[in-house]
Amino acid sequence: MTKLDLFFDPTRCFIGGKWVAPAGGEYLPIENPSTGETIGEIARGQAADVEAAVAAAQAGLAGAWGKTPAFERGRILTRMGQAVLARVDELARIEAMDVGKPLKQARADAVALARYLEFYGGACDKIMGETIPYLDGYTVYTLREPHGVTGHIIPWNYPMQIIGRSVTAALAMGNAAVLKPAEEACLTAIAFAKIAEEAGLPAGALNVVPGLGEEAGAALTAHPGVNHISFTGSLAVGELIQRAAAKNVIPVTLELGGKSPQLVFEDADLDRALPFLVNAGIQNAGQTCSASSRILVHRSIHDQVLERMAERYRALRVGPAIDDLDVGPLVSGRQQEIVGEFLSDLGGGEIAARGEVVSGAPTGGHYLAPALVSGVKPDNRLAQDEIFGPVQVVIPFDDEAEAVATANGTEFGLVAGVWSRDGGRTMRVAKAIRTGQVFLNNYGAGGGVELPFGGVGKSGHGREKGFEALYGFSVLKTVAAWHG
Ligand code: NAI
Ligand code: MG
């Protein structure tokens, strides 16, 4: 059993500034996906723990946290960012063990979390209302106020980044957060609570209840004391969350993944495009909401692009996270099955190339060699459904109109990339594509915390990241004063 050396106790919930055992006294195993071994356990939080966490959040809002001025919130978040930076390598190692992310990718997540804390720490005292010219004898102004208690249900694929874009933005606006991390990946969420405690975040501002989706997650979603829910995860659970939120008539932010395309036109700079085309599909073993799983290529260069991507695929090495190769294992045996099932029926397509699982990779690990698939029709499920694994399909198109129609031809709409040296075309296509983000001659733009992010269609609604997130995590109050 590989030893986990932690600076916090993973078997505790963090509620009202205290580290408490789960009320039910039950625990869940932590699996290392690189080996299949159990490396520890986490609390199995349930409804009673969620109840306590929501009450603690409400108490925090009524107490010290609710009275903390904006600039002071900023200082606390900034201190937390410094603490994250001081622990970047440690957090990366923990995440690598917990979710199977190659170390470099896990490290990038920790650095991103620090960036969110810096960005939102700096933004706290810069959110302002306005004065509105009105009738004689009146002065009208607006106030941006927190929702109150915000619930955050996050997935296992990018725990630190999603805590960054969701929880830190909510705290910046003065909300009190209850965080339910994914059962597959709770460690860095608990680490975040420890860092918050050490940085002096007042009790109740942040509460973390690890546990199962159907237990702690469902309890948080249904709780009438929660004023806003932010969810990232599957479409199926997103629907449940929105239904539950409707019952309590509260706003939700849903980020439900995608089937994001990159459109490669005949005049694209292929030397620049190639690494983006492949990395966007295999990063984090393809378990990325904004993964680019469809590569749409002008027919005149289709074979060339396919072969150049294939070359890169054949060089991909898959192995234990700690060895920091190109690709790690999938997060779980279940995820490996889901992806394997997609590959078991290519619907007329064929595998153009695969990466290689290194010899000596532990047999209990959830490894899957990345697969580049050609020859599937745009309406095939490989080109329609979110696979959430290192699988990309390459599809030819004949002209711009067909490229746009194919790009828009799924139920999702999260991200798109456009590759062309024709500036007018890239801007025209950017307008025609229905997604929340479009990247022209790049993909992802380095992940910038400053860039508003979210979907249209079944990719969800609401925006996280950037300044925009602060509007989502607040409500606007209009004050109209008559003074004669
Ligand atoms: P999931 O949607 O079940 O899990 C995400 C979070 O929701 C976890 O914290 C989970 O505990 C929670 N949850 C699950 N059921 C819940 C319920 N009834 N009420 C409240 N919370 C609940 O996703 P899962 O099962 O881990 O992955 C399945 C598929 O979902 C993946 O193959 C992928 O296609 C998609 N997915 C998309 C993500 C994204 O970034 N958009 C992230 C994770 C999964
Ligand atoms: Mg795990």
Side-chain angles (χ1 to χ4, degrees), residues 153-157 162 165 180-184 211-214 217-218 221 231-235 237-238 240-241 255-258 288-289 334-335 338 386-388:
I153 299 180
I154 67 167
W156 40 263
N157 54 343
I162 298 174
R165 74 183 192 211
K180 206 300 284 175
E183 47 271 44
E184 297 87 348
L212 297 173
E214 313 79 68
T221 311
F231 172 77
T232 300
S234 64
L235 178 52
V237 175
L240 291 178
I241 304 262
E255 200 274 87
L256 309 178
T288 304
C289 43
R334 189 176 140 246
Q335 201 61 28
I338 296 176
E386 182 174 59
I387 298 175
F388 232 58

Side-chain angles (χ1 to χ4, degrees), residues 30-44:
I30 305 171
E31 187 197 32
N32 177 352
S34 294
T35 63
E37 289 173 322
T38 298
I39 52 173
E41 51 184 25
I42 49 157
R44 179 176 179 168

